[in-house]
Amino acid sequence: MTNTTMPLNVLFLCTHNSARSILAEALLNDMGQGRFKAYSAGSSPRANQQPNPLGLQVLQRAGVSVEGLRSKSWDEFAVADAPKMDLIITVCDNAAGEVCPIWPGHPATAHWGYPDPSEGDAADDTKLEAFRQTMHMIRRRLELLVNLPADKLEKARLQGTARELSAH
């Protein structure tokens, strides 16, 4: 893939879209070098849900931009004028087991489960360390994704295009 091709759109899903999916979105947008455009959403974000401040803090400390990050429902990505996804990755076990919307274009899907760093009643410094560890686990997996050869990424896109053509 060269920089003249369209980036691969990746959607990270979790239940509330406040921790793991936000970390993955920010990291891939930082690491993707224009080859990827990452988004995140939740299956059931709470009313007025915001990204977890500890997650934003570990991203900022790692030099990753948090600008524009917000918690949102996956319904935003299931409408006709939403960006078309090439790959959808669930990052929590709850979202992996839920009935997902029918995504336009039938993108490739994967599950990358991570424990919830915000869960429990631990002190903030303990939770901050959990967020840091989760961020590093996600980063390691994303490094593998962004370093895939261009032909592997193009095959995924071609598969999606072929699926679309079968519907016409």
Side-chain angles (χ1 to χ4, degrees):
M1 262 170 104
T2 65
N3 286 340
T4 59
T5 62
M6 296 291 292
L8 207 67
N9 286 336
V10 181
L11 177 61
F12 294 98
L13 296 178
C14 207
T15 304
H16 299 296
N17 188 218
S18 65
R20 294 161 284 185
S21 52
I22 293 283
L23 291 172
E25 174 186 5
L27 285 168
L28 184 56
N29 281 329
D30 184 65
M31 300 165 64
Q33 304 163 1
R35 296 174 65 206
F36 297 88
K37 174 65 179 139
Y39 302 87
S40 69
S43 58
S44 55
R46 296 180 187 105
N48 302 311
Q49 181 79 53
Q50 297 296 318
N52 189 297
L54 296 175
L56 298 178
Q57 187 178 338
V58 298
L59 287 166
Q60 288 173 316
R61 286 184 180 175
V64 176
S65 173
V66 298
E67 186 176 333
L69 292 177
R70 64 183 180 88
S71 298
K72 56 209 156 295
S73 171
W74 65 12
D75 294 340
E76 286 189 29
F77 296 95
V79 297
D81 61 344
K84 190 180 130 233
M85 295 301 140
D86 298 298
L87 174 60
I88 295 178
I89 301 172
T90 53
V91 292
C92 73
D93 293 334
N94 289 346
E98 292 176 336
V99 176
C100 292
I102 302 299
W103 302 106
H106 303 287
T109 59
H111 174 64
W112 297 355
Y114 302 99
D116 186 352
S118 66
E119 200 169 80
D121 296 327
D124 275 359
D125 60 336
T126 302
K127 282 189 179 184
L128 187 63
E129 179 58 20
F131 270 93
R132 195 184 66 71
Q133 288 179 14
T134 301
M135 181 186 70
H136 287 298
M137 286 188 287
I138 294 170
R139 184 188 300 266
R140 282 194 294 272
R141 199 170 257 162
L142 289 174
E143 283 172 351
L144 297 173
L145 177 66
V146 301
N147 287 305
L148 282 172
D151 66 318
K152 294 245 187 222
L153 295 174
E154 284 299 330
K155 285 178 191 172
R157 193 185 307 265
L158 179 60
Q159 182 179 20
T161 302
R163 282 190 195 129
E164 279 180 29
L165 291 174
S166 70
H168 293 287

